[in-house]
Amino acid sequence: MMAAAAAAENGAKVTLLEKKEQVGKKLKLTGKGRCNITSALEGANFISGYAGNGRFLYSALNQFSNQDLVNFFNKRGLATVTERGQRVFPASGRAEDVVQILPEHAK
Ligand SMILES: Cc1cc2nc3c(=O)[nH]c(=O)nc-3n(C[C@H](O)[C@H](O)[C@H](O)COP(=O)(O)OP(=O)(O)OC[C@H]3O[C@@H](n4cnc5c(N)ncnc54)[C@H](O)[C@@H]3O)c2cc1C
């Protein structure tokens, strides 16, 4: 959904296909129903959380970082909290609140 929206913002005509009755259904189950959105660790510490060599991610994360993701949700009315281990969750504790922002953004 994020990729579809980014493509559309850059002028592409986008069709998003989903085989389930609803997009983002799986995300509602993530983080035990709370959705661990990202990590608040910065730079190399963030990259070190990836298995193997995450160095290839530097250029992508320079374009859109973990902080950009948190800002993306905050701007759309989703308050977030950072918990133990720098894990970022919706303040509501409901993955559903994260998921409902994405189809709106994609539309
Ligand atoms: C139990 C669990 C908990 C998790 N918790 C977290 C967490 O807290 N934080 C985190 O960052 N990650 C978490 N993850 C990992 C996260 O869910 C995945 O990394 C992420 O969903 C991958 O996104 P994706 O878009 O690549 O694939 P998906 O989210 O799997 O999306 C693929 C979509 O394509 C659809 N689809 C599949 N085949 C077709 C087809 N032929 N035609 C049309 N549509 C199709 C599917 O229905 C699905 O909606 C968790 C994963 C699991 C299983």
Side-chain angles (χ1 to χ4, degrees):
M1 286 182 271
M2 295 289 282
E9 275 168 0
N10 283 283
K13 188 165 180 254
V14 181
T15 302
L16 183 58
L17 302 175
E18 171 54 57
K19 75 172 174 179
K20 293 206 176 356
E21 68 283 358
Q22 202 184 357
V23 290
K25 206 171 169 187
K26 174 180 170 185
L27 297 181
K28 290 184 183 173
L29 306 172
T30 59
K32 295 183 181 157
R34 296 176 63 214
C35 188
N36 180 191
I37 297 170
T38 187
S39 160
L41 290 172
E42 287 180 19
N45 287 332
F46 182 83
I47 298 275
S48 72
Y50 283 85
N53 185 354
R55 282 172 58 84
F56 74 97
L57 290 165
Y58 273 109
S59 64
L61 289 168
N62 273 334
Q63 298 283 321
F64 192 83
S65 70
N66 47 345
Q67 188 55 55
D68 291 330
L69 183 65
V70 171
N71 293 343
F72 169 89
F73 283 115
N74 290 166
K75 268 193 223 152
R76 286 162 180 79
L78 185 85
T80 48
V81 288
T82 303
E83 297 189 1
R84 180 178 49 83
Q86 298 294 300
R87 295 177 307 154
V88 181
F89 289 94
S92 64
R94 290 162 36 102
E96 210 163 325
D97 295 343
V98 177
V99 177
Q100 75 172 21
I101 288 173
L102 296 173
E104 267 319 302
H105 176 60
K107 272 184 208 159

